[in-house]
Amino acid sequence: MSNTEIAKQVIDAIGGVENVSSVAHCATRLRVMVKDESKINKDVVENIEKVQGAFFNSGQYQIIFGTGTVNKIYDEVVALGLPTSSKDEMKAEAAKQGNWFQRAIRTFGDVFVPILPAIVATGLFMGIRGAIAQDQVLALFGTTADAFKATNFYTYTVVLTDTAFAFFPALICWSAFRVFGGNPIIGLVLGLMMVNSALPNAWDVASQATKFAVDPSKDILGQIDAMNVLGQLKFTGSVVATKAHPIYFLGFIPVVGYQNSVLPAFFVGLFGAKFEKWLHKKIPDVLDLLLVPFLTFLVMSVLGLFAIGPVFHIVEEYVLGATKFLLGLPFGLAGLILGGVHQLIVVTGVHHIFNLLEAQLVSQTGKDAFNAIITAAMTAQAGATLAVGVKTKSKKLKALAFPAALSAGLGITEPAIFGVNLRYVKPFVIGLGAGAVGGWLANFMGLAGTSFGITIIPGALLYVNGQLLKYVFMVVFTTALSFGLTYMFGYEDEKTEQENEEAEAIIEEETTGNIPVALQDETIISPIVGTAVELSRVDDPVFSSGAMGQGIAIKPSEGVVYAPADAEVTIAFATGHAYGLKTANGAEILIHVGIDTVSMNGEGFDQKVAQGDKVKAGDVLGTFDAAKIAAAGLEDTTMVIVTNTADFASVTPVATGSVAKGDAIIEVKA
């Protein structure tokens, strides 16, 4: 089938030219902004020749064609009348998609996602300390939990575990200013004001902690005599013991620090960023630097402490109370319900609401019962996808299902859901059912993570505080249940599809003489100097899931791209951000510099080769400016993918740590 015919089928399947607002593409995907998602015939799209998968993300319908092919299909759909736009324009349009609730939840996600690494790391430290600080463990070292808590090392662990949550409002306020267009540093300082040590500590007030202080009415010598600084504090008439309490302004406005709050900081960030932007428009440029931060701090500190803080703290208490009530339902009902519907919520795109609820739970209670339930729901989808991959005889579906199942196991289920399970419906439905059972089991056993943001395999680190065996049992049970039910009842190959593929291959070979060249073993060397990164850790599901093929990622330390083998250049993007090569031994290699760097339109990239050029291993393909990539707010992590992985017996990354020009990074076995 010609590319023109494929383009026509794509346009028809997405609802025609009139249903498309704009189309763009990157190195692997056709990105279509549609007006009405319901007009897309997704089953038809996913079965169009050369389509490797499709999913809806951030308001865009993304159709995976792979390197080289996507350029040709893009040219054809544009020639057939689809309107074009830059990727940045598509992002701006995507932000407007959905109803007000979907947009609000998406905004919550935009604010919380950047601070997840700090919260996840803190949660891991909490879990490790919880595992160590048990009498049974410490007895092996001749000590006890009480003795351990009196050591300086324990104090150090408190620094590791408490800092992020003690200053959580500062992180939230910083991120909110960034999302809503304000100066993030102003947001950071406003957030720090909300937890300033001059304010009564929120945790002390909530627990009615006792505070000791000297009586200012006594003479200084009396106060010194009251305390034996070399020994234990002795209480005399000059020392006063009081309960921690709020400060009351104007006699009726209670003010405390907001150490364990989420919503107050979020709305201070929202209103503060909007107010700062308004000031920039009203104040003359000559006074901008002086007056804008001054007025922003003045107005927002007053509103934050005396209005926004108290009001949204009350709202937060109700939200937290409702959350605890739901999680406290008897007989594990909360897990049954949430485990069954969570991945449906993911499909709607409003699953970031859990970021808010989980942040509140962890900051106020130190544990997150949602994490285990969500893990069960995601595990079930992974098990269903794995069953499809094992049972199918289609090489194309296997190449999609196995990497998608691995991606789901690492906590990214979108490739599994949109690429496999929803496509065949039954695996997705069975996954929902198994997720409900797994969620019930997690809730019934009382599983709760020490943080949030990671699940399944990496999420096990949140349960090393005495819960690990229960967690592993829940994950294995849920996976086995979903896999077994899907394998037996959820999927059957369409025989005609397999037969047609084989017949088409035979016809092509006999009529065109296009008989595939025998593939050979090959070692691919590094095209980038830097540090090797596992592909699964890349922040792009198309690459991290393995949907484009197996390979490795490299965090660059210099901005030069070298040829990884003797090869022909099959793709040389005008933007200079990606290269496609085919080696003499049959490996098809994609080198993709950065994530979403196509949006830079070539700024900071200098291409040295053209399509059709023959290159030797180590030749320079192009250069890039990492500083400009960072200034654009993008990642420069570079992916090296063998896009025809399915044609080989194995494609194995072999590099770890630092890699230099010429170092082996991938072993390919025919």
Side-chain angles (χ1 to χ4, degrees):
M1 185 182 298
S2 70
N3 290 328
T4 302
E5 292 172 323
I6 292 173
K8 289 178 180 178
Q9 289 188 5
V10 168
I11 293 174
D12 289 342
I14 60 177
V17 174
E18 61 277 7
N19 192 41
V20 177
S21 298
S22 59
V23 62
H25 78 95
C26 57
T28 59
R29 284 161 279 179
L30 193 69
R31 299 168 178 260
V32 187
M33 186 70 68
V34 296
K35 298 175 183 177
D36 186 351
E37 184 184 353
S38 66
K39 293 183 179 180
I40 301 175
N41 192 328
K42 297 178 181 179
D43 289 338
V44 171
V45 171
E46 291 171 353
N47 284 290
I48 293 174
E49 185 178 328
K50 297 185 181 181
V51 170
Q52 299 179 24
F55 60 96
F56 209 86
N57 185 42
S58 300
Q60 300 174 15
Y61 190 54
Q62 301 186 18
I63 307 173
I64 306 169
F65 281 102
T67 54
T69 302
V70 71
N71 302 62
K72 299 170 184 176
I73 301 300
Y74 173 78
D75 290 340
E76 294 293 344
V77 296
V78 170
L80 291 170
L82 292 193
T84 63
S85 72
S86 72
K87 192 160 160 288
D88 283 341
E89 290 171 336
M90 294 191 77
K91 281 187 175 181
E93 184 62 28
K96 303 175 185 177
Q97 298 295 309
N99 57 43
W100 68 269
F101 180 72
Q102 290 174 312
R103 295 196 301 272
I105 299 305
R106 191 183 302 134
T107 300
F108 272 120
D110 291 341
V111 171
F112 282 102
V113 167
I115 62 180
L116 278 181
I119 302 306
V120 168
T122 296
L124 296 182
F125 286 130
M126 286 181 177
I128 294 170
R129 184 179 67 189
I132 295 173
Q134 300 183 52
D135 287 329
Q136 304 94 308
V137 176
L138 293 172
L140 300 175
F141 302 94
T143 187
T144 65
D146 289 339
F148 174 61
K149 292 177 181 178
T151 64
N152 290 334
F153 180 74
Y154 183 83
T155 301
Y156 163 70
T157 68
V158 171
V159 173
L160 283 177
T161 59
D162 290 9
T163 300
F165 287 106
F167 297 98
F168 201 25
L171 300 179
I172 295 172
C173 207
W174 163 82
S175 188
F177 259 73
R178 179 188 59 83
V179 169
F180 295 112
N183 183 336
I185 298 301
I186 292 180
L188 178 64
V189 175
L190 275 173
L192 290 172
M193 289 179 180
M194 299 179 72
V195 293
N196 191 289
S197 59
L199 297 172
N201 186 285
W203 290 317
D204 290 341
V205 172
S207 62
Q208 285 290 283
T210 301
K211 295 291 184 180
F212 299 101
V214 293
D215 188 342
S217 66
K218 304 292 183 179
D219 63 273
I220 187 66
L221 292 178
Q223 296 181 43
I224 294 174
D225 290 340
M227 296 178 286
N228 178 0
V229 295
L230 297 178
Q232 189 174 10
L233 179 66
K234 296 177 180 178
F235 300 105
T236 71
S238 61
V239 177
V240 179
T242 61
K243 296 289 186 181
H245 59 274
I247 297 174
Y248 283 89
F249 282 80
L250 303 178
F252 70 95
I253 303 176
V255 175
V256 297
Y258 290 91
Q259 283 82 3
N260 58 344
S261 292
V262 174
L263 286 181
F266 177 88
F267 284 100
V268 166
L270 168 61
F271 296 137
K274 299 294 185 183
F275 180 61
E276 183 199 355
K277 290 171 67 177
W278 181 81
L279 289 175
H280 280 304
K281 295 178 182 179
K282 299 297 181 182
I283 293 176
D285 291 345
V286 68
L287 298 174
D288 186 272
L289 181 61
L290 177 66
L291 291 183
V292 170
F294 175 81
L295 292 175
T296 303
F297 282 137
L298 176 63
V299 173
M300 292 312 302
S301 64
V302 171
L303 290 177
L305 292 175
F306 305 143
I308 296 174
V311 169
F312 283 99
H313 181 66
I314 293 172
V315 173
E316 187 174 60
E317 289 296 318
Y318 280 109
V319 172
L320 184 63
T323 301
K324 289 181 176 178
F325 172 79
L326 175 62
L327 291 172
L329 289 174
F331 312 116
L333 287 176
L336 185 71
I337 297 168
L338 293 174
V341 304
H342 179 265
Q343 293 298 285
L344 274 175
I345 296 174
V346 169
V347 172
T348 67
V350 297
H351 53 293
H352 292 300
I353 186 66
F354 288 100
N355 291 149
L356 168 65
L357 301 177
E358 291 179 281
Q360 285 186 278
L361 283 172
V362 174
S363 64
Q364 295 204 19
T365 69
K367 58 185 181 179
D368 174 21
F370 274 128
N371 182 268
I373 298 171
I374 291 171
T375 293
M378 299 173 77
T379 299
Q381 293 299 324
T385 305
L386 183 61
V388 172
V390 169
K391 192 170 186 179
T392 184
K393 295 180 181 178
S394 167
K395 291 182 179 180
K396 179 179 178 180
L397 185 53
K398 281 183 181 290
L400 179 62
F402 286 135
L406 175 60
S407 174
L410 296 172
I412 304 171
T413 56
E414 281 84 352
I417 293 174
F418 297 112
V420 179
N421 295 352
L422 269 179
R423 178 179 178 182
Y424 297 103
V425 183
K426 285 184 180 180
F428 182 68
V429 174
I430 289 174
L432 294 180
V437 175
W440 168 82
L441 182 63
N443 195 221
F444 186 78
M445 293 192 300
L447 285 172
T450 54
S451 185
F452 65 99
I454 55 175
T455 52
I456 313 182
I457 297 174
L461 295 173
L462 303 181
Y463 297 85
V464 295
N465 57 343
Q467 305 178 85
L468 187 58
L469 290 179
K470 291 181 180 179
Y471 179 84
V472 171
F473 173 74
M474 181 273 291
V475 169
V476 172
F477 175 82
T478 305
T479 303
L481 178 65
S482 184
F483 179 93
L485 291 175
T486 303
Y487 192 89
M488 289 187 292
F489 309 112
Y491 178 78
E492 290 292 340
D493 266 335
E494 297 179 11
K495 294 181 180 179
T496 54
E497 177 185 342
Q498 182 75 8
E499 292 168 355
N500 288 341
E501 286 180 0
E502 295 173 355
E504 287 174 5
I506 293 172
I507 292 171
E508 181 180 4
E509 291 176 13
E510 291 182 349
T511 58
T512 67
N514 185 22
I515 301 174
V517 177
L519 303 175
Q520 300 180 42
D521 295 352
E522 185 163 13
T523 298
I524 296 169
I525 63 175
S526 179
I528 296 286
V529 176
T531 304
V533 178
E534 291 180 16
L535 195 63
S536 61
R537 297 176 60 189
V538 172
D539 189 20
D540 187 320
V542 170
F543 290 116
S544 62
S545 68
M548 290 305 305
Q550 295 302 307
I552 198 168
I554 300 171
K555 181 67 176 176
S557 58
E558 66 175 48
V560 182
V561 183
Y562 302 99
D566 295 348
E568 177 184 349
V569 178
T570 56
I571 303 168
F573 276 82
T575 53
H577 77 288
Y579 302 88
L581 303 99
K582 185 169 184 178
T583 72
N585 292 331
E588 297 175 8
I589 303 171
L590 167 67
I591 304 171
H592 194 291
V593 181
I595 298 173
D596 285 341
T597 44
V598 65
S599 63
M600 296 178 66
N601 294 317
E603 179 68 24
F605 294 87
D606 185 10
Q607 182 186 114
K608 304 293 186 183
V609 294
Q611 184 175 345
D613 286 355
K614 300 290 194 299
V615 294
K616 294 289 186 181
D619 287 353
V620 175
L621 301 179
T623 61
F624 60 92
D625 189 333
K628 289 186 178 181
I629 295 175
L634 301 173
E635 281 275 348
D636 63 357
T637 300
T638 299
M639 283 63 68
V640 186
I641 310 292
V642 178
T643 56
N644 62 335
T645 292
D647 295 338
F648 291 93
S650 67
V651 175
T652 308
V654 295
T656 58
S658 298
V659 291
K661 176 186 176 183
D663 286 354
I665 59 171
I666 301 173
E667 292 287 350
V668 178
K669 299 294 183 182

